[in-house]
């Protein structure tokens, strides 16, 4: 089980390189909650053009920056907001805020606010990637920990789930027994969090978007620019739809359209990203000659490993003693979706696997054996996924989507959503209300938008960027060839496009894209001559 970003079932190991690829409650209760939220955050048309004031004002309190491996180069504090805006007088949550000054001596007045992925990732740890990408070149950069994440209080971390994932590298990925262990770990986390008073139903994208609206008001910012990636695009589009006031521009990177995201949707993205890698190899003569028909090779290996899993010892990439690793068909697929093996090495890795050498995939799987326990907020992942992504689609729907994407693969593999295994069972124990009525909604806006996608992205397929842009009337859509999930930190061209967009949102300079092509793939000697 591999890297989490779009809402995957497991987090990435935190030893990232600087340029990484990076049962329901009653219907009456749900209806009452949704009605209140509609009053609290009306749509622009219902608001009569004026920005509504929250019933419970938020407050920003200056304070020290959190201790991080790379010190935060700016000033910090926390935003205090209601945990559940539908419950007046209830608990509050505290969200760490970092304000990184612009590199320019004459910054623009409108800052950039960043919305990270996951859901459940630590936004504060993304600051070095954002600075390296030049996001704060001409504007201050504001980064806030989303509710429930590492630098917020309460923190919805699940050490029980982290420990499960560390053990899971030595288990069959999609075996029922593995699913039962995941459900037990999830239940233990839920029981602990609810016993401490956490209202799990309040950790959702609607409340998350309202937190950012409160942040802008609390900081006294008239206009800002929103930049989100992965789940952060779901959040950014929700923020734009529900809180459009003060939004100068929106940049979304590796797009998750809120109106379509679901478990079956993950198979569509997996097919698009994996197929794009194979097509790029076929377009390079040396790669095409050395690794013909990669799709057939992958199908053969998925079927072979699912029938007879490999058990090997492999050393984690971060170092340490070798660990026991099991490679079955589900594990192989999820390593590819997570970009756990760099795309340029995928054809070579599949060819080596077909000839009895699983080392590249085994080492990638072994990385999951060394998670940073307590760093990733699995609780936010499940509160969002179980309320917004899972309802409305059955296990049979998921299996049908998998069969359409990859005909001929074993049903045991296709029955589990990429990056979200056993999610129907997990959601049964997480038990939060269905929120699809307010969240599975299209964002329509004339705010200038930049839509960035990587053609190799198997988590959030590139075509979904263009799909989201259809209702963003002043949008610019850019596809970066040969790049996977989270485009900007990996692509100097995308960095230039984003900088240009922030300067001139209605006319960004995209000329650098025309000359781009995927990098050459790794070519290894054929087995007989090695």
């Amino acid at each position: 089980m591999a890297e989490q970003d779009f809402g995957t079932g497991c987090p990435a190991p935190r030893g990232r390189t600087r340029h990484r690829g990076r049962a329901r409650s009653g219907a009456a209760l749900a209806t009452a909650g949704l009605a209140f939220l509609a009053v609290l955050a009306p749509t622009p048309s219902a608001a009569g053009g004026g920005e509504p004031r929250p019933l419970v004002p938020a407050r920003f309190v200056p304070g020290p920056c959190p201790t991080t491996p790379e010190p935060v180069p700016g000033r910090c504090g926390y935003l205090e907001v209601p945990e559940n805006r539908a419950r007046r007088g209830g608990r509050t949550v505290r969200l760490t805020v970092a304000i990184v000054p612009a590199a320019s001596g004459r910054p623009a007045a409108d800052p950039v606010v960043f919305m990270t992925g996951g859901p459940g990732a630590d936004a504060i740890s993304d600051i070095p990637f954002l600075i390296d990408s030049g996001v704060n070149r001409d504007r201050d950069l504001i980064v806030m920990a989303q509710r429930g994440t590492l630098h917020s209080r309460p923190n919805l971390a699940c050490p029980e789930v982290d420990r499960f994932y560390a053990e899971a590298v030595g288990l069959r990925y999609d075996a029922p027994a593995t699913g039962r262990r995941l459900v037990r770990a999830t239940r233990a986390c839920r029981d602990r969090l609810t016993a401490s008073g956490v209202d799990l139903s309040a950790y959702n994208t609607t409340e998350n978007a309202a937190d950012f609206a409160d942040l802008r008001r609390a900081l006294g910012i008239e206009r800002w620019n929103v930049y989100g990636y992965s789940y952060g695009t779901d959040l950014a589009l929700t923020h734009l739809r529900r809180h459009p006031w003060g939004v100068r521009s929106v940049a979304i990177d590796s797009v998750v359209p809120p109106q379509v995201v679901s478990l079956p949707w993950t198979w569509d993205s997996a097919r698009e990203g994996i197929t794009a890698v194979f097509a790029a190899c076929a377009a390079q003569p040396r790669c095409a000659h050395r690794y013909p028909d990669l799709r057939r090779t992958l199908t053969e290996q998925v079927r072979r490993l699912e029938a007879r899993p490999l058990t090997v010892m492999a050393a984690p990439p971060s170092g340490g003693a070798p660990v026991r690793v099991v490679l079955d068909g589900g594990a192989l697929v999820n390593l590819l979706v997570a970009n756990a093996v760099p795309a340029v090495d995928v054809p070579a890795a599949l060819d080596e696997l077909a000839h009895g050498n699983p080392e590249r995939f085994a080492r990638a799987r072994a990385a999951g054996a060394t998670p940073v326990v307590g760093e990733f907020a699995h609780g936010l992942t499940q509160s969002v996924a179980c309320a917004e992504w899972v309802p409305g689609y059955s296990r049979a729907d998921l299996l049908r989507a998998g069969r359409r994407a990859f005909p001929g693969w074993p049903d045991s593999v296709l029955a589990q959503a990429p990056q979200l295994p056993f999610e129907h069972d997990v959601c049964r124990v997480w038990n939060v209300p269905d929120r699809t009525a307010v969240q599975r909604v299209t964002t329509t806006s004339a705010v200038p938008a930049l839509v960035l996608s990587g053609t190799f992205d198997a988590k959030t397929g590139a075509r979904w960027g263009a799909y989201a842009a259809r209702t963003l009337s002043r949008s610019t859509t850019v596809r970066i060839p040969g790049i996977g999930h989270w485009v900007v930190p990996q692509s100097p061209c995308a960095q230039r496009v984003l900088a240009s967009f922030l300067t001139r949102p209605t006319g960004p300079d995209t000329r650098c894209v025309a000359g781009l092509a995927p990098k050459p793939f790794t070519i290894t000697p054929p087995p007989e001559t090695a």
Side-chain angles (χ1 to χ4, degrees):
M1 300 187 178
E3 178 172 355
Q4 173 156 352
D5 255 313
F6 125 81
T8 60
C10 41
R14 270 304 189 190
R16 300 184 292 189
T17 58
R18 179 59 60 86
H19 293 289
R20 62 165 187 173
R22 258 218 2 149
R24 302 283 178 255
S25 297
L29 175 63
T31 302
L34 302 186
F36 187 90
L37 287 170
V39 172
L40 181 69
T43 61
S45 59
E51 180 177 5
R53 290 293 169 184
L55 297 177
V56 182
R59 66 186 187 116
F60 176 76
V61 180
C65 291
T67 301
T68 55
E70 296 186 47
V72 176
R75 58 190 177 94
C76 299
Y78 65 83
L79 184 75
E80 186 173 67
V81 295
E83 180 180 53
N84 188 331
R85 289 173 171 83
R87 296 179 181 174
R88 300 193 65 176
R91 287 166 41 123
T92 59
V93 299
R94 291 185 173 188
L95 315 175
T96 292
V97 178
I99 304 173
V100 180
S104 169
R106 301 180 63 184
D110 43 275
V112 178
V113 64
F114 174 67
M115 299 179 179
T116 195
D122 171 28
I124 302 301
S125 71
D126 288 330
I127 291 174
F129 303 107
L130 298 168
I131 293 174
D132 283 359
S133 301
V135 179
N136 70 320
R137 188 184 74 176
D138 300 314
R139 287 168 170 76
D140 289 352
L141 168 66
I142 301 172
V143 178
M144 182 168 73
Q146 294 172 22
R147 56 174 48 215
T149 60
L150 178 63
H151 292 290
S152 70
R153 294 294 176 268
N155 176 9
L156 271 59
C158 290
E160 305 89 343
V161 175
D162 288 326
R163 288 189 286 268
F164 160 78
Y165 283 127
E167 298 168 357
V169 301
L171 305 173
R172 290 199 61 162
Y173 183 91
D174 47 31
T178 303
R180 290 191 291 272
R181 292 176 71 157
L182 173 57
V183 169
R184 284 197 298 271
T186 302
R187 180 184 290 112
C189 180
R190 186 192 197 284
D191 290 349
R192 178 177 50 78
L193 291 174
T194 54
S196 71
V198 172
D199 177 4
L200 294 177
S201 70
Y203 293 81
N204 58 65
T205 306
T206 301
E207 294 281 8
N208 206 350
D211 293 341
F212 280 89
D214 280 346
L215 176 64
R216 185 182 63 80
R217 286 188 291 262
L219 294 179
I221 296 170
E222 182 178 353
R223 294 200 309 166
W224 66 8
N225 306 276
V226 176
Y227 170 46
Y229 96 94
S230 195
Y231 166 70
T233 69
D234 186 343
L235 175 56
L237 290 168
T238 301
H239 179 76
L240 179 61
R241 176 171 59 86
R242 299 184 68 90
H243 306 278
W245 306 274
V247 179
R248 173 179 177 263
S249 71
V250 174
I252 48 177
D253 178 338
S254 306
V255 181
V256 180
Q259 67 270 35
V260 299
V261 60
S262 65
L263 296 186
W265 175 85
T266 62
W267 277 121
D268 181 279
S269 289
R271 176 182 59 189
E272 182 178 3
I274 292 171
T275 299
V277 173
F278 294 172
C281 174
Q284 295 180 13
R286 291 186 68 224
C287 191
H289 176 74
R290 177 66 183 85
Y291 309 116
D293 204 351
L294 284 169
R295 185 179 181 93
R296 184 181 68 181
T297 301
L298 175 59
T299 295
E300 290 172 348
Q301 295 313 302
V302 169
R303 296 178 67 171
R304 179 177 70 87
L305 290 176
E306 193 67 3
R308 295 182 298 279
L310 286 177
T311 300
V312 298
M313 300 297 292
S318 59
V323 297
R324 179 180 181 268
V325 164
V326 173
L327 282 175
D328 61 1
L332 174 60
V333 172
N334 279 270
L335 291 170
L336 291 173
V337 171
N339 197 33
V341 173
V344 294
D345 294 335
V346 163
L350 285 171
D351 182 74
E352 289 166 352
L353 179 63
H355 289 90
N357 177 9
E359 182 178 356
R360 292 185 201 256
F361 287 113
R363 284 178 58 82
R365 181 115 160 97
T370 57
V372 180
V373 175
E375 184 177 69
F376 193 89
H378 297 283
L380 180 58
T381 304
Q382 297 308 334
S383 284
V384 170
C386 295
E388 302 171 14
W389 301 348
V390 174
Y393 294 94
S394 67
R395 298 171 195 261
D397 293 328
L398 175 60
L399 181 58
R400 279 193 293 268
R403 288 170 173 169
R404 285 194 301 269
F406 296 102
W409 285 15
D411 281 356
S412 54
V413 173
L414 301 175
Q416 305 303 332
Q419 305 289 280
L420 287 166
F422 305 101
E423 195 64 13
H424 285 99
D425 298 322
V426 165
C427 289
R428 189 178 64 253
V429 302
W430 201 254
N431 191 27
V432 289
D434 181 340
R435 296 187 51 79
T436 54
V438 292
Q439 187 55 31
R440 214 170 265 165
V441 180
T442 299
T443 296
T444 301
S445 177
V447 170
L450 176 65
V451 182
L452 292 164
S453 301
T455 61
F456 286 0
D457 188 351
K459 292 183 182 180
T460 59
R463 78 183 185 95
W464 295 107
Y467 177 89
R470 296 188 308 175
T471 55
L472 305 175
S473 61
R474 293 199 291 169
S475 60
T476 301
T477 301
V478 174
R479 290 190 182 201
I480 303 295
I483 297 294
H485 202 60
W486 198 8
V487 176
V488 165
Q490 302 179 74
S491 170
C493 174
Q495 293 165 19
R496 292 195 292 273
V497 171
L498 177 59
S500 170
F501 170 76
L502 292 171
T503 299
R504 191 174 59 186
T506 56
D509 185 352
T510 62
R511 288 174 295 178
C512 63
V513 179
L516 297 178
K519 294 179 180 179
F521 288 92
T522 300
I523 306 297
T524 57
E528 60 271 20
T529 62

